[in-house]
Amino acid sequence: MNMSDLFVDTMLSTLHDVLPIVVVLLGFQLLVLRQPIPHLWSVIRGFVYVLLGLALFLMGLKEAIFPLGKMMAMQLTDPHFLYGAAATIPEIIRWQDYAWVYIFAFAIGMATTLAEPALIAVGIKAQQVSGGAISALGLRIAVSLGVAVGVSIGCFRIVTGTDLWLYVMAAYVVVIIQTRFAPRMIIPLAYDSGGVTTSTITVPLLAALGLGLASTIPGRSPLIDGFGLIAFASVFPIMSVMGYAQLSQKIGKSQQIKEADNAL
Amino acid sequence: MTDKLQPMWNTFRDAFRPLVEAVRDLTPIIVVILFFQEIVLEQPIPNLGELLAGLLFVLVGLALFIRGLEIGLFPLGEAMAHAFAKKGSVFWLLLFAFLLGFSTTVAEPALIAVAGKAAEVAAQGGVIEHGEMAMADYAFNLRMVVALSVGSAIVLGVLRIIFGWPLHLCIMAGYILAVVITYFAPEEIIGIAYDSGGVTTSTITVPLVTALGVGLATSIRGRNPVLDGFGLIAFASLLPMIFVMLYGIITA
């Protein structure tokens, strides 16, 4: 497919995504609310930007980053890479053999989440609404760390073949305990960031990694074990965002104490 | 002279700020790819030209998207939330919330892909017949279930903002429900159910739903935008999980 075809194709599929939203918004604005749209011109321009931007973004991902990322995921999980040229997978798999996979999962989880457009949007809103008490970049780094840790643990799970629900439940218990102690302000945002993380870039790359792992390790089913990485990427950010708030509260407190000391 | 230049400079800065930030946001991906390709895998980058062109598209696209959010989607979402609050009709607000969730999810490409995979799993597990028709039916029903669940989730989230229920209690009740249902759900559906929570919230839905929540919390008296405005997406990633497992139990 050449570039212009690909662009038209991506543009059409993006339009297909945006159209239902525009219909719902316009329908309610004109038929139910019956009000003129404020700053109509700037809203139209905004929608055109969003449409064009998303199409370009997706096209660039499809063209450049996905093929390379998927190839790398396949190569890193390939027995040739893991066990040398002899390329026989040993009877008993040691989870340590997959060290590079965990590191790659961590790094790619972190990097893609930092560039996730939906998360950038939530970050902007959070900073705005909290009057700067929550920093957009701080929130995004916390979420990215959560995804990074979650995805590497998810890969460990596929390698060792342990049950998915055990991990998810353990994670829920930690989330519940943290909710008790985290600053109240951060809780809704932390819960939201679980769902935000996995939209455009992260899902296809993670799916490739999970599939690569599950299809090369004997005894794993690509269909059953390949899924589940996304679940990790959605639970761990909840913990890391609450952790980030707890940490910055602690640091803030000790600074206040220091300042009070200095004042004396 | 500075009086004349200042607005021009501001426009210029506003137009280019997203571009500079996009460069910052994409640098980690480039670093990770280069490091693993060159040092760990010890392989050259294939099609360097295509990679660079693709990165340029991603960069410009991200910058445009963010700018578009700031001038278009965010203000519209909030303006509509204010208008609904002023109108005071809960029915229309809830219908709007439902349609917003449903319509953005039903056509979501990630969901279509996951539903197709899920039909394969179900056919292999012997839950449904191996025919194309049966698999297409299963995938379509699954998509409808997820879209319904996202619609209901936004409705529930809006009700929460209106009545001021504490979010963590709602979510914990949801978790407990999910855990209980997991126990009864057929094994093949669990992974898909857990993942379906993550794939439903698309890049355009998230900003719009966030703007809706924050706008509502700002315009309803006694609600705090930080405490009450967020949380809609949390519902949208929890409910599909529960609905999909229930669907798995019913069809099994």
Side-chain angles (χ1 to χ4, degrees), chain A residues 76-77 79 82-84 88-102 155-161 213 216-218 220:
Chain A
L76 281 170
T77 52
L82 290 163
Y83 297 106
T88 44
I89 298 185
E91 281 291 312
I92 300 152
I93 286 180
R94 294 187 318 144
W95 63 266
Q96 294 95 326
D97 295 340
Y98 286 82
W100 277 120
V101 173
Y102 311 135
C155 287
F156 172 80
R157 182 197 78 84
I158 297 179
V159 170
T160 54
L213 269 180
T216 48
I217 299 174
R220 305 283 175 279

PDB file of all heavy atoms in Angstrom, chain A residues 76-77 79 82-84 88-102 155-161 213 216-218 220:
ATOM      1  N   LEU A  76      12.897 -11.218  20.610  1.00  0.00           N
ATOM      2  CA  LEU A  76      13.305 -11.374  22.010  1.00  0.00           C
ATOM      3  C   LEU A  76      12.759 -12.647  22.632  1.00  0.00           C
ATOM      4  O   LEU A  76      13.349 -13.193  23.560  1.00  0.00           O
ATOM      5  CB  LEU A  76      12.836 -10.167  22.833  1.00  0.00           C
ATOM      6  CG  LEU A  76      13.680  -8.907  22.722  1.00  0.00           C
ATOM      7  CD1 LEU A  76      12.958  -7.750  23.377  1.00  0.00           C
ATOM      8  CD2 LEU A  76      15.032  -9.091  23.381  1.00  0.00           C
ATOM      9  N   THR A  77      11.603 -13.115  22.128  1.00  0.00           N
ATOM     10  CA  THR A  77      11.024 -14.335  22.688  1.00  0.00           C
ATOM     11  C   THR A  77      11.438 -15.573  21.896  1.00  0.00           C
ATOM     12  O   THR A  77      11.047 -16.685  22.230  1.00  0.00           O
ATOM     13  CB  THR A  77       9.491 -14.248  22.700  1.00  0.00           C
ATOM     14  OG1 THR A  77       9.046 -13.884  21.384  1.00  0.00           O
ATOM     15  CG2 THR A  77       9.012 -13.213  23.690  1.00  0.00           C
ATOM     16  N   PRO A  79      13.504 -18.676  20.697  1.00  0.00           N
ATOM     17  CA  PRO A  79      14.487 -19.567  21.336  1.00  0.00           C
ATOM     18  C   PRO A  79      15.913 -19.348  20.807  1.00  0.00           C
ATOM     19  O   PRO A  79      16.880 -19.500  21.544  1.00  0.00           O
ATOM     20  CB  PRO A  79      13.987 -20.959  20.973  1.00  0.00           C
ATOM     21  CG  PRO A  79      12.543 -20.793  20.681  1.00  0.00           C
ATOM     22  CD  PRO A  79      12.360 -19.406  20.164  1.00  0.00           C
ATOM     23  N   LEU A  82      17.289 -16.686  22.864  1.00  0.00           N
ATOM     24  CA  LEU A  82      17.370 -17.003  24.285  1.00  0.00           C
ATOM     25  C   LEU A  82      18.378 -18.098  24.597  1.00  0.00           C
ATOM     26  O   LEU A  82      19.079 -18.053  25.591  1.00  0.00           O
ATOM     27  CB  LEU A  82      15.985 -17.426  24.795  1.00  0.00           C
ATOM     28  CG  LEU A  82      14.952 -16.312  24.857  1.00  0.00           C
ATOM     29  CD1 LEU A  82      13.557 -16.900  24.959  1.00  0.00           C
ATOM     30  CD2 LEU A  82      15.222 -15.415  26.055  1.00  0.00           C
ATOM     31  N   TYR A  83      18.435 -19.110  23.704  1.00  0.00           N
ATOM     32  CA  TYR A  83      19.258 -20.277  24.045  1.00  0.00           C
ATOM     33  C   TYR A  83      20.388 -20.494  23.045  1.00  0.00           C
ATOM     34  O   TYR A  83      20.918 -21.584  22.931  1.00  0.00           O
ATOM     35  CB  TYR A  83      18.383 -21.535  24.125  1.00  0.00           C
ATOM     36  CG  TYR A  83      17.355 -21.428  25.208  1.00  0.00           C
ATOM     37  CD1 TYR A  83      16.012 -21.203  24.905  1.00  0.00           C
ATOM     38  CD2 TYR A  83      17.729 -21.539  26.546  1.00  0.00           C
ATOM     39  CE1 TYR A  83      15.074 -21.082  25.916  1.00  0.00           C
ATOM     40  CE2 TYR A  83      16.798 -21.429  27.551  1.00  0.00           C
ATOM     41  CZ  TYR A  83      15.468 -21.205  27.229  1.00  0.00           C
ATOM     42  OH  TYR A  83      14.546 -21.084  28.234  1.00  0.00           O
ATOM     43  N   GLY A  84      20.733 -19.479  22.268  1.00  0.00           N
ATOM     44  CA  GLY A  84      21.833 -19.626  21.313  1.00  0.00           C
ATOM     45  C   GLY A  84      21.417 -20.389  20.081  1.00  0.00           C
ATOM     46  O   GLY A  84      20.242 -20.731  19.905  1.00  0.00           O
ATOM     47  N   THR A  88      17.207 -25.368  21.094  1.00  0.00           N
ATOM     48  CA  THR A  88      16.234 -26.307  21.642  1.00  0.00           C
ATOM     49  C   THR A  88      15.767 -25.711  22.961  1.00  0.00           C
ATOM     50  O   THR A  88      16.579 -25.262  23.768  1.00  0.00           O
ATOM     51  CB  THR A  88      16.871 -27.688  21.915  1.00  0.00           C
ATOM     52  OG1 THR A  88      18.142 -27.471  22.531  1.00  0.00           O
ATOM     53  CG2 THR A  88      17.022 -28.485  20.641  1.00  0.00           C
ATOM     54  N   ILE A  89      14.489 -25.709  23.114  1.00  0.00           N
ATOM     55  CA  ILE A  89      13.957 -25.189  24.365  1.00  0.00           C
ATOM     56  C   ILE A  89      14.104 -26.276  25.425  1.00  0.00           C
ATOM     57  O   ILE A  89      13.672 -27.409  25.215  1.00  0.00           O
ATOM     58  CB  ILE A  89      12.471 -24.793  24.192  1.00  0.00           C
ATOM     59  CG1 ILE A  89      12.381 -23.698  23.152  1.00  0.00           C
ATOM     60  CG2 ILE A  89      11.877 -24.358  25.521  1.00  0.00           C
ATOM     61  CD1 ILE A  89      11.012 -23.139  22.981  1.00  0.00           C
ATOM     62  N   PRO A  90      14.767 -25.971  26.529  1.00  0.00           N
ATOM     63  CA  PRO A  90      14.952 -27.009  27.556  1.00  0.00           C
ATOM     64  C   PRO A  90      13.626 -27.457  28.143  1.00  0.00           C
ATOM     65  O   PRO A  90      12.625 -26.753  28.066  1.00  0.00           O
ATOM     66  CB  PRO A  90      15.819 -26.307  28.606  1.00  0.00           C
ATOM     67  CG  PRO A  90      15.690 -24.859  28.325  1.00  0.00           C
ATOM     68  CD  PRO A  90      15.377 -24.696  26.892  1.00  0.00           C
ATOM     69  N   GLU A  91      13.651 -28.664  28.721  1.00  0.00           N
ATOM     70  CA  GLU A  91      12.430 -29.244  29.302  1.00  0.00           C
ATOM     71  C   GLU A  91      11.842 -28.320  30.364  1.00  0.00           C
ATOM     72  O   GLU A  91      10.665 -28.014  30.356  1.00  0.00           O
ATOM     73  CB  GLU A  91      12.773 -30.587  29.951  1.00  0.00           C
ATOM     74  CG  GLU A  91      12.917 -31.745  28.974  1.00  0.00           C
ATOM     75  CD  GLU A  91      11.583 -32.121  28.345  1.00  0.00           C
ATOM     76  OE1 GLU A  91      10.606 -32.263  29.102  1.00  0.00           O
ATOM     77  OE2 GLU A  91      11.520 -32.252  27.108  1.00  0.00           O
ATOM     78  N   ILE A  92      12.722 -27.930  31.270  1.00  0.00           N
ATOM     79  CA  ILE A  92      12.246 -27.054  32.342  1.00  0.00           C
ATOM     80  C   ILE A  92      12.693 -25.641  32.036  1.00  0.00           C
ATOM     81  O   ILE A  92      13.880 -25.374  31.856  1.00  0.00           O
ATOM     82  CB  ILE A  92      12.815 -27.503  33.701  1.00  0.00           C
ATOM     83  CG1 ILE A  92      12.351 -28.942  33.988  1.00  0.00           C
ATOM     84  CG2 ILE A  92      12.364 -26.558  34.813  1.00  0.00           C
ATOM     85  CD1 ILE A  92      13.286 -29.715  34.850  1.00  0.00           C
ATOM     86  N   ILE A  93      11.727 -24.765  31.963  1.00  0.00           N
ATOM     87  CA  ILE A  93      12.049 -23.388  31.635  1.00  0.00           C
ATOM     88  C   ILE A  93      12.352 -22.621  32.902  1.00  0.00           C
ATOM     89  O   ILE A  93      11.574 -22.665  33.863  1.00  0.00           O
ATOM     90  CB  ILE A  93      10.874 -22.760  30.868  1.00  0.00           C
ATOM     91  CG1 ILE A  93      10.881 -23.331  29.462  1.00  0.00           C
ATOM     92  CG2 ILE A  93      10.975 -21.264  30.854  1.00  0.00           C
ATOM     93  CD1 ILE A  93       9.804 -22.820  28.618  1.00  0.00           C
ATOM     94  N   ARG A  94      13.498 -21.976  32.921  1.00  0.00           N
ATOM     95  CA  ARG A  94      13.809 -21.148  34.076  1.00  0.00           C
ATOM     96  C   ARG A  94      13.346 -19.738  33.765  1.00  0.00           C
ATOM     97  O   ARG A  94      13.661 -19.215  32.695  1.00  0.00           O
ATOM     98  CB  ARG A  94      15.310 -21.165  34.354  1.00  0.00           C
ATOM     99  CG  ARG A  94      15.813 -22.549  34.798  1.00  0.00           C
ATOM    100  CD  ARG A  94      17.274 -22.460  35.221  1.00  0.00           C
ATOM    101  NE  ARG A  94      18.011 -21.616  34.283  1.00  0.00           N
ATOM    102  CZ  ARG A  94      18.992 -20.796  34.645  1.00  0.00           C
ATOM    103  NH1 ARG A  94      19.329 -20.691  35.905  1.00  0.00           N
ATOM    104  NH2 ARG A  94      19.635 -20.072  33.742  1.00  0.00           N
ATOM    105  N   TRP A  95      12.644 -19.122  34.696  1.00  0.00           N
ATOM    106  CA  TRP A  95      12.113 -17.793  34.387  1.00  0.00           C
ATOM    107  C   TRP A  95      13.232 -16.780  34.211  1.00  0.00           C
ATOM    108  O   TRP A  95      13.088 -15.786  33.527  1.00  0.00           O
ATOM    109  CB  TRP A  95      11.103 -17.347  35.450  1.00  0.00           C
ATOM    110  CG  TRP A  95      11.663 -17.178  36.832  1.00  0.00           C
ATOM    111  CD1 TRP A  95      11.678 -18.102  37.827  1.00  0.00           C
ATOM    112  CD2 TRP A  95      12.286 -16.020  37.369  1.00  0.00           C
ATOM    113  NE1 TRP A  95      12.271 -17.600  38.944  1.00  0.00           N
ATOM    114  CE2 TRP A  95      12.656 -16.315  38.707  1.00  0.00           C
ATOM    115  CE3 TRP A  95      12.557 -14.740  36.863  1.00  0.00           C
ATOM    116  CZ2 TRP A  95      13.292 -15.385  39.527  1.00  0.00           C
ATOM    117  CZ3 TRP A  95      13.197 -13.821  37.690  1.00  0.00           C
ATOM    118  CH2 TRP A  95      13.561 -14.145  39.007  1.00  0.00           C
ATOM    119  N   GLN A  96      14.413 -17.080  34.800  1.00  0.00           N
ATOM    120  CA  GLN A  96      15.527 -16.136  34.700  1.00  0.00           C
ATOM    121  C   GLN A  96      16.008 -15.986  33.255  1.00  0.00           C
ATOM    122  O   GLN A  96      16.577 -14.972  32.884  1.00  0.00           O
ATOM    123  CB  GLN A  96      16.715 -16.609  35.552  1.00  0.00           C
ATOM    124  CG  GLN A  96      16.464 -16.623  37.035  1.00  0.00           C
ATOM    125  CD  GLN A  96      16.027 -18.004  37.495  1.00  0.00           C
ATOM    126  OE1 GLN A  96      15.334 -18.716  36.765  1.00  0.00           O
ATOM    127  NE2 GLN A  96      16.411 -18.386  38.703  1.00  0.00           N
ATOM    128  N   ASP A  97      15.793 -17.053  32.433  1.00  0.00           N
ATOM    129  CA  ASP A  97      16.262 -16.996  31.047  1.00  0.00           C
ATOM    130  C   ASP A  97      15.615 -15.859  30.271  1.00  0.00           C
ATOM    131  O   ASP A  97      16.126 -15.435  29.244  1.00  0.00           O
ATOM    132  CB  ASP A  97      15.954 -18.315  30.332  1.00  0.00           C
ATOM    133  CG  ASP A  97      16.730 -19.457  30.961  1.00  0.00           C
ATOM    134  OD1 ASP A  97      17.732 -19.171  31.639  1.00  0.00           O
ATOM    135  OD2 ASP A  97      16.327 -20.616  30.772  1.00  0.00           O
ATOM    136  N   TYR A  98      14.491 -15.388  30.740  1.00  0.00           N
ATOM    137  CA  TYR A  98      13.742 -14.391  29.984  1.00  0.00           C
ATOM    138  C   TYR A  98      13.984 -12.964  30.484  1.00  0.00           C
ATOM    139  O   TYR A  98      13.161 -12.088  30.280  1.00  0.00           O
ATOM    140  CB  TYR A  98      12.255 -14.727  30.023  1.00  0.00           C
ATOM    141  CG  TYR A  98      11.903 -15.914  29.146  1.00  0.00           C
ATOM    142  CD1 TYR A  98      12.090 -17.211  29.586  1.00  0.00           C
ATOM    143  CD2 TYR A  98      11.420 -15.722  27.860  1.00  0.00           C
ATOM    144  CE1 TYR A  98      11.802 -18.295  28.783  1.00  0.00           C
ATOM    145  CE2 TYR A  98      11.123 -16.801  27.042  1.00  0.00           C
ATOM    146  CZ  TYR A  98      11.320 -18.087  27.512  1.00  0.00           C
ATOM    147  OH  TYR A  98      11.024 -19.145  26.705  1.00  0.00           O
ATOM    148  N   ALA A  99      15.128 -12.760  31.122  1.00  0.00           N
ATOM    149  CA  ALA A  99      15.408 -11.454  31.726  1.00  0.00           C
ATOM    150  C   ALA A  99      15.231 -10.299  30.734  1.00  0.00           C
ATOM    151  O   ALA A  99      14.612  -9.280  31.052  1.00  0.00           O
ATOM    152  CB  ALA A  99      16.817 -11.432  32.296  1.00  0.00           C
ATOM    153  N   TRP A 100      15.741 -10.469  29.518  1.00  0.00           N
ATOM    154  CA  TRP A 100      15.625  -9.366  28.546  1.00  0.00           C
ATOM    155  C   TRP A 100      14.176  -9.068  28.194  1.00  0.00           C
ATOM    156  O   TRP A 100      13.823  -7.944  27.898  1.00  0.00           O
ATOM    157  CB  TRP A 100      16.415  -9.670  27.266  1.00  0.00           C
ATOM    158  CG  TRP A 100      17.869  -9.334  27.394  1.00  0.00           C
ATOM    159  CD1 TRP A 100      18.927 -10.184  27.261  1.00  0.00           C
ATOM    160  CD2 TRP A 100      18.437  -8.041  27.667  1.00  0.00           C
ATOM    161  NE1 TRP A 100      20.113  -9.514  27.455  1.00  0.00           N
ATOM    162  CE2 TRP A 100      19.845  -8.205  27.704  1.00  0.00           C
ATOM    163  CE3 TRP A 100      17.910  -6.778  27.919  1.00  0.00           C
ATOM    164  CZ2 TRP A 100      20.715  -7.142  27.955  1.00  0.00           C
ATOM    165  CZ3 TRP A 100      18.778  -5.716  28.171  1.00  0.00           C
ATOM    166  CH2 TRP A 100      20.156  -5.911  28.189  1.00  0.00           C
ATOM    167  N   VAL A 101      13.359 -10.121  28.212  1.00  0.00           N
ATOM    168  CA  VAL A 101      11.935  -9.908  27.916  1.00  0.00           C
ATOM    169  C   VAL A 101      11.302  -9.007  28.961  1.00  0.00           C
ATOM    170  O   VAL A 101      10.582  -8.062  28.638  1.00  0.00           O
ATOM    171  CB  VAL A 101      11.182 -11.256  27.828  1.00  0.00           C
ATOM    172  CG1 VAL A 101       9.687 -11.032  27.692  1.00  0.00           C
ATOM    173  CG2 VAL A 101      11.697 -12.075  26.662  1.00  0.00           C
ATOM    174  N   TYR A 102      11.616  -9.268  30.251  1.00  0.00           N
ATOM    175  CA  TYR A 102      11.031  -8.426  31.306  1.00  0.00           C
ATOM    176  C   TYR A 102      11.518  -6.987  31.171  1.00  0.00           C
ATOM    177  O   TYR A 102      10.758  -6.042  31.338  1.00  0.00           O
ATOM    178  CB  TYR A 102      11.387  -8.943  32.705  1.00  0.00           C
ATOM    179  CG  TYR A 102      11.158 -10.416  32.919  1.00  0.00           C
ATOM    180  CD1 TYR A 102      12.102 -11.205  33.551  1.00  0.00           C
ATOM    181  CD2 TYR A 102       9.992 -11.019  32.465  1.00  0.00           C
ATOM    182  CE1 TYR A 102      11.902 -12.552  33.746  1.00  0.00           C
ATOM    183  CE2 TYR A 102       9.784 -12.361  32.652  1.00  0.00           C
ATOM    184  CZ  TYR A 102      10.745 -13.132  33.286  1.00  0.00           C
ATOM    185  OH  TYR A 102      10.538 -14.468  33.467  1.00  0.00           O
ATOM    186  N   CYS A 155       4.508 -10.571  31.985  1.00  0.00           N
ATOM    187  CA  CYS A 155       5.365 -11.464  31.194  1.00  0.00           C
ATOM    188  C   CYS A 155       5.897 -12.600  32.067  1.00  0.00           C
ATOM    189  O   CYS A 155       5.953 -13.754  31.640  1.00  0.00           O
ATOM    190  CB  CYS A 155       6.538 -10.691  30.598  1.00  0.00           C
ATOM    191  SG  CYS A 155       6.031  -9.636  29.249  1.00  0.00           S
ATOM    192  N   PHE A 156       6.283 -12.261  33.292  1.00  0.00           N
ATOM    193  CA  PHE A 156       6.731 -13.277  34.241  1.00  0.00           C
ATOM    194  C   PHE A 156       5.637 -14.326  34.444  1.00  0.00           C
ATOM    195  O   PHE A 156       5.901 -15.522  34.475  1.00  0.00           O
ATOM    196  CB  PHE A 156       7.092 -12.597  35.569  1.00  0.00           C
ATOM    197  CG  PHE A 156       7.386 -13.538  36.696  1.00  0.00           C
ATOM    198  CD1 PHE A 156       8.619 -14.153  36.790  1.00  0.00           C
ATOM    199  CD2 PHE A 156       6.420 -13.804  37.652  1.00  0.00           C
ATOM    200  CE1 PHE A 156       8.891 -15.027  37.830  1.00  0.00           C
ATOM    201  CE2 PHE A 156       6.685 -14.679  38.696  1.00  0.00           C
ATOM    202  CZ  PHE A 156       7.925 -15.287  38.782  1.00  0.00           C
ATOM    203  N   ARG A 157       4.401 -13.864  34.509  1.00  0.00           N
ATOM    204  CA  ARG A 157       3.286 -14.791  34.691  1.00  0.00           C
ATOM    205  C   ARG A 157       3.154 -15.748  33.514  1.00  0.00           C
ATOM    206  O   ARG A 157       2.943 -16.944  33.680  1.00  0.00           O
ATOM    207  CB  ARG A 157       1.965 -14.036  34.863  1.00  0.00           C
ATOM    208  CG  ARG A 157       0.772 -14.944  35.106  1.00  0.00           C
ATOM    209  CD  ARG A 157      -0.529 -14.246  34.867  1.00  0.00           C
ATOM    210  NE  ARG A 157      -0.838 -14.128  33.455  1.00  0.00           N
ATOM    211  CZ  ARG A 157      -1.427 -15.072  32.731  1.00  0.00           C
ATOM    212  NH1 ARG A 157      -1.781 -16.200  33.300  1.00  0.00           N
ATOM    213  NH2 ARG A 157      -1.665 -14.884  31.447  1.00  0.00           N
ATOM    214  N   ILE A 158       3.314 -15.213  32.300  1.00  0.00           N
ATOM    215  CA  ILE A 158       3.191 -16.089  31.127  1.00  0.00           C
ATOM    216  C   ILE A 158       4.320 -17.110  31.119  1.00  0.00           C
ATOM    217  O   ILE A 158       4.110 -18.287  30.838  1.00  0.00           O
ATOM    218  CB  ILE A 158       3.188 -15.264  29.822  1.00  0.00           C
ATOM    219  CG1 ILE A 158       1.975 -14.338  29.791  1.00  0.00           C
ATOM    220  CG2 ILE A 158       3.163 -16.193  28.610  1.00  0.00           C
ATOM    221  CD1 ILE A 158       1.902 -13.463  28.568  1.00  0.00           C
ATOM    222  N   VAL A 159       5.541 -16.658  31.470  1.00  0.00           N
ATOM    223  CA  VAL A 159       6.688 -17.568  31.465  1.00  0.00           C
ATOM    224  C   VAL A 159       6.496 -18.674  32.501  1.00  0.00           C
ATOM    225  O   VAL A 159       6.711 -19.849  32.223  1.00  0.00           O
ATOM    226  CB  VAL A 159       8.001 -16.792  31.724  1.00  0.00           C
ATOM    227  CG1 VAL A 159       9.153 -17.758  31.960  1.00  0.00           C
ATOM    228  CG2 VAL A 159       8.314 -15.882  30.554  1.00  0.00           C
ATOM    229  N   THR A 160       6.056 -18.285  33.707  1.00  0.00           N
ATOM    230  CA  THR A 160       5.908 -19.299  34.747  1.00  0.00           C
ATOM    231  C   THR A 160       4.583 -20.050  34.651  1.00  0.00           C
ATOM    232  O   THR A 160       4.425 -21.096  35.275  1.00  0.00           O
ATOM    233  CB  THR A 160       5.981 -18.665  36.155  1.00  0.00           C
ATOM    234  OG1 THR A 160       5.003 -17.618  36.207  1.00  0.00           O
ATOM    235  CG2 THR A 160       7.348 -18.082  36.438  1.00  0.00           C
ATOM    236  N   GLY A 161       3.637 -19.529  33.907  1.00  0.00           N
ATOM    237  CA  GLY A 161       2.366 -20.209  33.717  1.00  0.00           C
ATOM    238  C   GLY A 161       1.459 -20.201  34.930  1.00  0.00           C
ATOM    239  O   GLY A 161       0.629 -21.085  35.088  1.00  0.00           O
ATOM    240  N   LEU A 213       5.464 -14.581  23.438  1.00  0.00           N
ATOM    241  CA  LEU A 213       5.824 -15.404  24.591  1.00  0.00           C
ATOM    242  C   LEU A 213       5.007 -16.684  24.629  1.00  0.00           C
ATOM    243  O   LEU A 213       5.547 -17.779  24.745  1.00  0.00           O
ATOM    244  CB  LEU A 213       5.570 -14.621  25.880  1.00  0.00           C
ATOM    245  CG  LEU A 213       6.688 -13.784  26.459  1.00  0.00           C
ATOM    246  CD1 LEU A 213       6.205 -13.107  27.722  1.00  0.00           C
ATOM    247  CD2 LEU A 213       7.910 -14.639  26.749  1.00  0.00           C
ATOM    248  N   THR A 216       5.846 -19.380  21.925  1.00  0.00           N
ATOM    249  CA  THR A 216       7.141 -20.074  21.895  1.00  0.00           C
ATOM    250  C   THR A 216       7.375 -20.953  23.117  1.00  0.00           C
ATOM    251  O   THR A 216       8.169 -21.879  23.063  1.00  0.00           O
ATOM    252  CB  THR A 216       8.321 -19.081  21.786  1.00  0.00           C
ATOM    253  OG1 THR A 216       8.138 -18.058  22.755  1.00  0.00           O
ATOM    254  CG2 THR A 216       8.390 -18.467  20.405  1.00  0.00           C
ATOM    255  N   ILE A 217       6.701 -20.682  24.212  1.00  0.00           N
ATOM    256  CA  ILE A 217       6.910 -21.497  25.407  1.00  0.00           C
ATOM    257  C   ILE A 217       5.974 -22.698  25.355  1.00  0.00           C
ATOM    258  O   ILE A 217       4.768 -22.535  25.181  1.00  0.00           O
ATOM    259  CB  ILE A 217       6.644 -20.681  26.681  1.00  0.00           C
ATOM    260  CG1 ILE A 217       7.625 -19.514  26.726  1.00  0.00           C
ATOM    261  CG2 ILE A 217       6.787 -21.533  27.924  1.00  0.00           C
ATOM    262  CD1 ILE A 217       7.358 -18.571  27.856  1.00  0.00           C
ATOM    263  N   PRO A 218       6.524 -23.914  25.480  1.00  0.00           N
ATOM    264  CA  PRO A 218       5.664 -25.092  25.399  1.00  0.00           C
ATOM    265  C   PRO A 218       4.670 -25.126  26.559  1.00  0.00           C
ATOM    266  O   PRO A 218       4.999 -24.716  27.678  1.00  0.00           O
ATOM    267  CB  PRO A 218       6.655 -26.268  25.498  1.00  0.00           C
ATOM    268  CG  PRO A 218       7.939 -25.694  25.945  1.00  0.00           C
ATOM    269  CD  PRO A 218       7.938 -24.248  25.654  1.00  0.00           C
ATOM    270  N   ARG A 220       1.988 -23.329  26.791  1.00  0.00           N
ATOM    271  CA  ARG A 220       1.163 -22.123  26.903  1.00  0.00           C
ATOM    272  C   ARG A 220       0.280 -22.024  25.658  1.00  0.00           C
ATOM    273  O   ARG A 220       0.733 -22.308  24.558  1.00  0.00           O
ATOM    274  CB  ARG A 220       2.013 -20.864  26.975  1.00  0.00           C
ATOM    275  CG  ARG A 220       3.029 -20.853  28.066  1.00  0.00           C
ATOM    276  CD  ARG A 220       2.423 -20.574  29.423  1.00  0.00           C
ATOM    277  NE  ARG A 220       3.468 -20.712  30.425  1.00  0.00           N
ATOM    278  CZ  ARG A 220       3.869 -21.874  30.911  1.00  0.00           C
ATOM    279  NH1 ARG A 220       3.291 -22.991  30.523  1.00  0.00           N
ATOM    280  NH2 ARG A 220       4.837 -21.935  31.794  1.00  0.00           N
TER     281      ARG A 220
END
